[in-house]
Amino acid sequence: MSATETSKSSLADADFAADARQVTTLRGAATDYVNRLRGGDMGSLPALLGLLVLFIVFGTTTDTFFTKLNLANLTVQAAPICVLAMALIPVLLIGEIDLSAGVASGTGAAVTALAIVDKGFAWPLAVLAGVVVGAVIGVVIGNLVARLGIPSFVVTLSFFLALQGVMLLLIGQGGSVRFDQEVLRGLAIKNVPPTVGWISAVAIVALYGGLSLFSFRRKVARELAHPPLALVWLRIGALAVLVLGLTAYFNTNRSRNPVFPIEGIPYMIPVVIVILIALTFLLGRTSFGRHLYAVGGNAEAARRAGINVIYMRVMAFVLCSSLAAVAGILQAAYSGKVSPGSGGGNVLLYAVGAAVIGGTSLFGGRGLAVHGVIGGVVLATVDNGLPLLIDKSYANFIVTGGVLLLAASVDAISRRRRSASGV
C-alpha cells in the first residue's frame, strides 16, 4: 500500500472513530442533533417552541388560561383534533392528501350514534360499526387513487361533498342525534380516578424505561448503532417528569365549588395515548410502517425493492378513514350530539394544519404519530387561549391561518436545506 493510500486509510479510520465517539457520548449526541437541525431536519422543534411562546403569551396576558379547569378543558378540546391529525399522517407520508377525512369522521360518528339510538346496539358494537364504515370509505378512496390513478385531491374532494349528502340522508336537514351513551359521553365529562391515574402513570414510565434499556442493551450486544446510555436515561427522566407532573396536576381538585370536587385525568387523554402508542408502533416497529415510509420517499424505488405500492397506498387511506371515524366519535362525545355539519367546516383544515405544524412533511416520507398530537395541542391552545385575549371571532381564523402558513414555510425551507445537504 502506498503512503498516500495509508494516509487516506488513517484519516478514514480517524473519522470513523470520531463518529463512534459522537454516538456514544451525550455531548456527541447533542452535536449530532445540532448538525441535523442545520441540515434542515427540524422535526417538532418549531412546534414545541411555538407552544412555549403561546403558553407564555396567554398565561401572562389572561387570568384564566392557567387555571386547572381551563387546562383540563384544553386537553379535552385537543383530543379529537389530535386523533384526526394522526389519522392523516399515513396519507401525508405517501405524499397524498385526504380532504374527506373531516366528514368521514362525522359519518363514522353518525353511524355510531344511530346504531345506539335507533338500533339499540351496545356501545362497543356501535363504535365498531362506525370504524368499519370509515374503513370502507378508505378502501374505496384508496382504490380510486392507487388503482385508477385519479389524483387524491379530486377523489377526496368528491367524497368531501358526497359524504355531506350522506350525513343529511342519515340525520336530516337541521336535525341532530343525541350522543349521551354513558361510557362514550363519559370520555369527555368524566375523569380517571386519581389512584388509577397514579398507577397508570408509574406503569407507563416503568414500561418505557424497561423497553428503552432493553433496546439499548440489545443494540450494544449486537454491535449496532445506539444512542449513549446517558441520553437513554435522560429521555426516561424527561418522560417521568412529564407524565408524573401532569398526573399530579390533574389529580388535584380543580372545581370552583368545594362541595363537588373535580379531580383526575380526563378519559380523553388515555384514549389519545393508546392511539399514539399503537400508531407509533405500527409506523416505527413493523414492516408495514417501513414500507409506508419507503413508498413516501420514493415509490418507484420501493416498487423495485419488491414492495406492493398499490396495497400500501390503499391501506394508508384505510388507516386514515378508520382513525378519522374514531376522532369523530371523540368529538361527538365532547359536543354531546352528531349533526349533519359534524366534521365539516374547518375541521379538516385544523387536522392537516396540526399534522404539518407538528412536523410532518407535506411532501411525503417524513412524519411521526406524535407530530399529530403536538400540532393538535398547538391549535387547541390557539383556539382556547385566543378568545380569552381577543374576544373577536376573526382573530382566531387569522392567527390559525398564519400559524399554518408559517409551518408550511418551515417545512418547505427544511426540505430545501435537506436537499442541499444531501440528507
Side-chain angles (χ1 to χ4, degrees):
M1 181 181 293
S2 66
T4 303
E5 291 175 337
T6 304
S7 176
K8 289 181 178 180
S9 177
S10 300
L11 289 174
D13 292 341
D15 290 340
F16 178 81
D19 290 339
R21 285 194 298 271
Q22 286 180 354
V23 297
T24 56
T25 64
L26 191 59
R27 182 176 180 180
T31 302
D32 180 64
Y33 180 67
V34 171
N35 290 335
R36 284 190 284 115
L37 289 178
R38 291 175 177 174
D41 188 5
M42 303 292 289
S44 299
L45 182 61
L48 292 174
L49 293 177
L51 186 62
L52 178 62
V53 171
L54 289 173
F55 267 68
I56 292 174
V57 171
F58 293 145
T60 55
T61 56
T62 64
D63 297 328
T64 57
F65 180 77
F66 273 133
T67 60
K68 295 177 182 178
L69 194 62
N70 183 64
L71 289 182
N73 184 54
L74 189 154
T75 60
V76 177
Q77 281 181 284
I81 200 68
C82 288
V83 174
L84 189 55
M86 284 191 284
L88 283 161
I89 286 174
V91 172
L92 293 175
L93 283 177
I94 61 173
E96 302 287 356
I97 190 68
D98 188 350
L99 300 178
S100 68
V103 287
S105 72
T107 304
V111 170
T112 299
L114 291 171
I116 293 173
V117 175
D118 291 350
K119 304 298 182 181
F121 282 21
W123 72 265
L125 289 178
V127 169
L128 179 61
V131 174
V132 168
V133 167
V136 171
I137 294 171
V139 168
V140 177
I141 293 175
N143 279 283
L144 290 173
V145 173
R147 296 187 186 278
L148 296 185
I150 306 174
S152 59
F153 180 89
V154 176
V155 175
T156 57
L157 179 60
S158 300
F159 271 76
F160 171 79
L161 299 172
L163 289 176
Q164 292 183 69
V166 172
M167 293 282 285
L168 284 171
L169 178 64
L170 292 174
I171 299 176
Q173 181 70 43
S176 64
V177 182
R178 290 180 295 113
F179 204 88
D180 55 2
Q181 200 280 333
E182 183 179 1
V183 174
L184 298 179
R185 179 67 170 144
L187 294 175
I189 63 176
K190 293 184 179 180
N191 305 298
V192 178
T195 303
V196 176
W198 277 116
I199 294 174
S200 301
V202 172
I204 289 173
V205 174
L207 181 62
Y208 176 80
L211 290 175
S212 298
L213 292 174
F214 174 76
S215 176
F216 174 81
R217 291 177 181 272
R218 186 177 62 176
K219 289 179 179 179
V220 170
R222 296 182 179 181
E223 298 183 353
L224 299 174
H226 59 274
L229 181 60
L231 181 60
V232 175
W233 280 111
L234 184 62
R235 289 171 178 171
I236 296 172
L239 181 73
V241 170
L242 178 64
V243 172
L244 298 179
L246 287 176
T247 302
Y249 186 86
F250 284 118
N251 278 347
T252 57
N253 183 24
R254 53 182 178 271
S255 174
R256 295 172 181 172
N257 187 346
V259 179
F260 300 100
I262 301 176
E263 55 187 17
I265 300 170
Y267 273 108
M268 284 281 194
I269 295 180
V271 173
V272 174
I273 291 174
V274 169
I275 295 173
L276 172 62
I277 293 174
L279 188 58
T280 299
F281 178 81
L282 180 66
L283 295 179
R285 298 290 181 178
T286 66
S287 59
F288 175 86
R290 291 190 291 271
H291 291 174
L292 202 64
Y293 281 106
V295 172
N298 190 320
E300 179 59 24
R303 184 189 66 80
R304 294 185 179 184
I307 297 174
N308 189 336
V309 175
I310 292 178
Y311 171 78
M312 296 306 302
R313 287 161 67 87
V314 172
M315 289 306 298
F317 283 98
V318 171
L319 186 58
C320 174
S321 296
S322 301
L323 280 178
V326 175
I329 293 169
L330 295 180
Q331 182 59 46
Y334 176 69
S335 62
K337 65 177 183 178
V338 182
S339 65
S342 296
N346 296 316
V347 173
L348 173 72
L349 300 179
Y350 273 39
V352 175
V356 176
I357 289 168
T360 299
S361 175
L362 283 169
F363 303 99
R366 285 180 178 267
L368 300 171
V370 72
H371 291 166
V373 175
I374 295 173
V377 172
V378 171
L379 287 185
T381 301
V382 173
D383 196 42
N384 178 279
L386 201 59
L388 301 176
L389 183 61
I390 305 175
D391 191 18
K392 301 291 183 181
S393 58
Y394 66 81
N396 195 0
F397 289 103
I398 293 174
V399 172
T400 303
V403 170
L404 176 56
L405 181 60
L406 179 62
S409 301
V410 170
D411 180 30
I413 294 171
S414 298
R415 181 171 180 265
R416 185 181 304 172
R417 292 182 64 181
R418 287 196 301 268
S419 298
S421 60
V423 178

